[in-house]
Amino acid sequence: MPRKYDAGGRLQISHGRAVFAALVLVLASGCASDRFRRHLDGEIWGDAVAEQWENPWRAVPEATLLATSLALIPTDDEIQKDFSEEDPGKNAALPGDILEYCAIGVPLLWGGMAWSKGDRGEELETAAEALAMTGLSTLLLKGITNRERPDGSSQDSFPSGHTAAAFCGATLLADFIEKDLHSRLGYLLYVPAAYVGINRIQVDRHWATDVAAGAFLGTLVANLLFDLHFGDASRGHEGVFGGEEARWSIGPEVTDHGAGVLVHADF
C-alpha cells in the first residue's frame, strides 16, 4: 500500500541532510583562503574530470551505472512488479534508512579522525563537499524531472536520494581506504549501498531507473570531489590540497592544568 504519510517528511529530511553537509563544508574548508581559492581553479577541475576517464577504477563503475540507468528505462514497470511488495509494512524501509545514514555519517567520522591525526581536515572537507553536492544535485534533479513515485505519494521520485547518498558514502570510504591503507577492499562497501537501492524498490518508493541513476550520481560526485581535492601525482594532476602551505592539526592535550583540545596551525 502507498505510504503517503511519510512523503513530506522524507523530503524535509533530504533538505536537512544537504544543509547539514553544507554547514560542515563551510566549517571544514572556509578556514584556509588559499584552499578556498583553489576550489575555483578551472585547471584543477579539468584534471579531476579527466581522471574519471583515465582511471579504470573510476571509469568502469561510473560507465556501468550510467549504461544501466539507460538500459533499465524500458523495463521499469516490469521490475517494479517483480521486486516491490504489495504491503511492505511500516518499518520495511528502516534497514535501508539506517544504512543510508551510516553512509553519510561514517565518511564524516573517518574524516574527523584523520583531522585529529593531523591531515589538516582534508578528508573531512572532501567528504562534506561530496555529500553536500550529492544532496543538492539530487534535490535539483527531483525538482526538474518531477517524476511520480511508484506508490503515487509524491512527484520527487527521480533520482533516488537514499541510493545517491549510499553510493556517495561507499565511494568516499573506498577512496579513503585506498589512499590511507593502500587497499581496494573498500569497494566491497558497494554491496550494502546496492541493498539500499533494492530496498527502495521493494518498499515501492522508487523505480529501478531512479535507483540506478542515484547510484551513478553518488559514485560520480564522490570520485570527482576526491580527485578534485587530492589529484593524482602519477598523471601530473594537482588537486586543491597540492599547493596549500598551511599545516593544520587538532587533537586532545593533557597538561598540569587539565585536559583540552589543541588546535595547531603552521603557515
Side-chain angles (χ1 to χ4, degrees), residues 51-68 187 190 216 219 223:
E51 185 69 15
Q52 308 313 300
W53 308 112
E54 295 176 2
N55 185 346
W57 287 93
R58 301 284 191 261
V60 172
E62 292 170 7
T64 300
L65 289 170
L66 178 59
T68 301
Y187 290 96
Y190 283 135
F216 167 70
T219 302
N223 280 331

